[in-house]
Amino acid sequence: MKKPCIGITSSYDAGKRKDSLRKNRELYYLNRSYVLSIERAGGIPFILPPVETVADADIDTTLSQLDGLLLTGGYDIHPRVYGVNRVHPKTEPLDWLRLNYELALVKRALHRELPILAICLGIQMVNVAAGGTLYQDIPSELQNPLIHSQKENRDVLTHWVEIDRTSRLYHIVKTTRLQTNSFHHQALAQVAAGFRAVAWTKDGIIEAIESTDKIFRLGIQWHPEELIKYPKHLALFKELVKQASY
């Protein structure tokens, strides 16, 4: 059987940040763990660089070559995108190139009913593209939150996520309680129409959403690509590849 082609969004570095990989040089980059996760799950990875052209026809041309979409992590979505003018001091907005491209990509992928697995920034991008909102900074906006930006290595499990037994996510990981890593300071606030929250940490932070219809659109707030040595986390990528095979 032909392996499905999975598009993977990549990051853009304009060379202007304090943590830029190369000062004053524009680069695209992507953690290998995303590519490896798709390979291990049985798919063929295609890296998607954010480009300036975001016309529907051009985005559709890209998506027509793909069977599924993996949305990856990164910096923060500018709050104006979801109707908030005040930028929190802890918000680190994405460069405009990735923000504009990825919003257009997600909107067209939703329209085309493409299978989607969205990770960290990805879940936030799906939620905002579909009309939802975000908390800009968990520690300063919510009372008594857990630590959601761990100092431990990326493959270390640090907190537990409670999963709705009626959800698609439950049927993938086959548990109502899953231990995960955590590397985010923003989180979903209002969930967009067409999606529902299906996993939470004990402080109430939404850790996963999924579409309310039968289309595979799953958003995950943790980073399972760093945890594929654990079968339950690898299962998320296997499900994306499976859904993209239809």
Side-chain angles (χ1 to χ4, degrees):
M1 183 176 69
K2 179 184 175 182
K3 291 182 177 182
C5 298
I6 308 297
I8 307 175
T9 55
S10 63
S11 295
Y12 165 73
D13 183 352
K16 305 299 183 183
R17 296 180 184 271
K18 291 181 180 179
D19 59 350
S20 285
L21 299 172
R22 297 280 186 88
K23 295 299 181 184
N24 300 315
R25 290 184 63 183
E26 295 180 275
L27 299 173
Y28 293 115
Y29 64 98
L30 178 70
N31 291 345
R32 181 173 180 257
S33 54
Y34 293 109
V35 172
L36 186 60
S37 297
I38 294 300
E39 285 187 291
R40 292 282 174 84
I44 298 177
F46 278 75
I47 299 175
L48 304 176
V51 295
E52 293 185 15
T53 304
V54 294
D56 286 354
D58 295 309
I59 297 291
D60 284 345
T61 298
T62 297
L63 295 175
S64 69
Q65 309 302 310
L66 304 174
D67 302 300
L69 187 61
L70 176 61
L71 302 175
T72 63
Y75 289 107
D76 303 325
I77 298 170
H78 198 290
R80 280 200 294 267
V81 176
Y82 48 93
V84 176
N85 291 322
R86 184 182 69 88
V87 180
H88 191 281
K90 293 293 181 67
T91 295
E92 296 185 79
L94 288 166
D95 285 291
W96 70 268
L97 185 66
R98 183 177 181 188
L99 177 61
N100 288 353
Y101 175 75
E102 211 152 307
L103 281 172
L105 184 77
V106 171
K107 288 176 181 179
R108 292 309 297 168
L110 292 173
H111 176 77
R112 294 174 65 91
E113 302 185 352
L114 200 68
I116 298 173
L117 177 61
I119 293 172
C120 200
L121 167 65
I123 183 178
Q124 298 168 11
M125 191 70 72
V126 167
N127 193 55
V128 168
T133 64
L134 305 176
Y135 294 114
Q136 288 192 60
D137 185 60
I138 294 169
S140 58
E141 293 187 59
L142 300 174
Q143 291 187 343
N144 302 316
L146 297 174
I147 295 174
H148 287 272
S149 186
Q150 70 188 53
K151 302 302 182 185
E152 294 85 352
N153 290 340
R154 297 182 70 82
D155 62 346
V156 175
L157 303 170
T158 58
H159 69 27
W160 291 90
V161 170
E162 305 291 334
I163 298 172
D164 184 341
R165 188 181 291 273
T166 68
S167 66
R168 181 193 291 266
L169 176 59
Y170 169 79
H171 289 288
I172 296 170
V173 298
K174 296 179 171 56
T175 185
T176 59
R177 197 163 185 261
L178 183 66
Q179 199 170 19
T180 75
N181 55 12
S182 190
F183 296 95
H184 63 107
H185 79 106
Q186 299 201 330
L188 272 59
Q190 179 182 347
V191 175
F195 289 86
R196 67 178 183 124
V198 294
W200 306 260
T201 39
K202 65 180 181 180
D203 57 359
I205 292 295
I206 295 171
E207 291 282 339
I209 60 171
E210 61 187 38
S211 58
T212 55
D213 56 27
K214 294 182 179 180
I215 304 166
F216 181 77
R217 296 163 175 164
L218 176 61
I220 300 295
Q221 188 60 76
W222 65 92
H223 279 271
E225 80 281 1
E226 304 288 353
L227 304 171
I228 59 173
K229 61 185 178 183
Y230 301 105
K232 292 185 185 302
H233 293 282
L234 179 59
L236 296 167
F237 299 96
K238 288 184 175 179
E239 185 66 19
L240 172 62
V241 169
K242 175 184 173 182
Q243 294 296 323
S245 300
Y246 295 145

